[in-house]
Amino acid sequence: MKILLPHFLLFFLFFVTTRVSPEYTRPDPRPLIFRPHNRSESDPQQVHISVAGKDHMRVSWITSDKKVKSIVEYGKTPGKYEASATGESTSYKYFFYSSGEIHHVRIGPLEPSTMYYYRCGGYGPEFSFRTPPSAFPVELAVAGKWWWPPISFTFLLLVIGCVPVFKSFSS
């Protein structure tokens, strides 16, 4: 009972404060945009990058073709790739759904504040990104899916330092 009471209070406070505050009116949802993938099954889809350490980036993408290698070629000049990195790929099944091949490759070391050009799988379209400056302003970032509200509130409070003792966490 002692453990559930703080969770209940946080849960209650969250819903009371969000429903009482009339300052924000949620806009209507925007229309969905459907863009068919009209390229080959080997071409990358859903390409995104993320910072992976001080001087590395992680490139992730999906292919319909399960045989595409997890390789990223990259360089500082468009169309000229001076380096390459190899990563891993995986896929999953959920009931009747089978995912495409999900690729993850960590590239680097990279220079700060520099534009890089890259392509996924060894061919296909070219993408680009600029690396963050050497004095990157963010020291801590937390992201993820929080499935159960009491755990998420406790975790959030733990991250910002409001919960001094926390014995276990599971998601």
Side-chain angles (χ1 to χ4, degrees):
M1 184 62 181
K2 280 177 118 176
I3 295 174
L4 292 178
L5 186 59
H7 290 94
F8 175 75
L9 290 174
L10 287 171
F11 186 76
F12 179 75
L13 287 173
F14 175 75
F15 281 103
V16 168
T17 57
T18 56
R19 293 172 196 246
V20 173
S21 178
E23 293 92 30
Y24 178 75
T25 304
R26 186 182 188 112
D28 291 333
R30 291 183 264 176
L32 294 176
I33 299 173
F34 292 103
R35 293 187 61 199
H37 185 72
N38 295 329
R39 297 181 172 210
S40 79
E41 291 186 348
S42 302
D43 279 356
Q45 302 175 48
Q46 303 179 32
V47 178
H48 57 278
I49 60 171
S50 57
V51 176
K54 182 180 176 190
D55 56 357
H56 288 78
M57 299 292 274
R58 180 172 310 280
V59 181
S60 301
W61 74 95
I62 296 175
T63 58
S64 299
D65 184 357
K66 305 257 185 205
K67 297 174 189 155
V68 173
K69 293 182 179 179
S70 298
I71 186 170
V72 172
E73 297 173 320
Y74 60 98
K76 298 177 192 174
T77 308
K80 186 177 177 189
Y81 309 111
E82 300 121 12
S84 68
T86 304
E88 70 276 347
S89 66
T90 186
S91 63
Y92 66 92
K93 293 181 184 231
Y94 185 74
F95 291 105
F96 300 111
Y97 173 77
S98 293
S99 76
E101 197 68 13
I102 305 165
H103 304 268
H104 303 285
V105 177
R106 187 172 186 241
I107 63 174
L110 305 171
E111 296 176 14
S113 301
T114 305
M115 183 68 94
Y116 282 91
Y117 300 88
Y118 68 99
R119 64 182 179 178
C120 307
Y123 54 90
E126 182 176 85
F127 303 96
S128 64
F129 66 90
R130 181 174 296 280
T131 55
S134 58
F136 195 58
V138 176
E139 292 184 17
L140 171 69
V142 177
K145 291 185 177 179
W146 296 338
W147 293 99
W148 193 46
I151 288 176
S152 65
F153 295 134
T154 304
F155 183 69
L156 179 61
L157 291 175
L158 175 68
V159 170
I160 62 175
C162 294
V163 178
V165 177
F166 191 74
K167 293 185 178 177
S168 66
F169 175 77
S170 63
S171 58

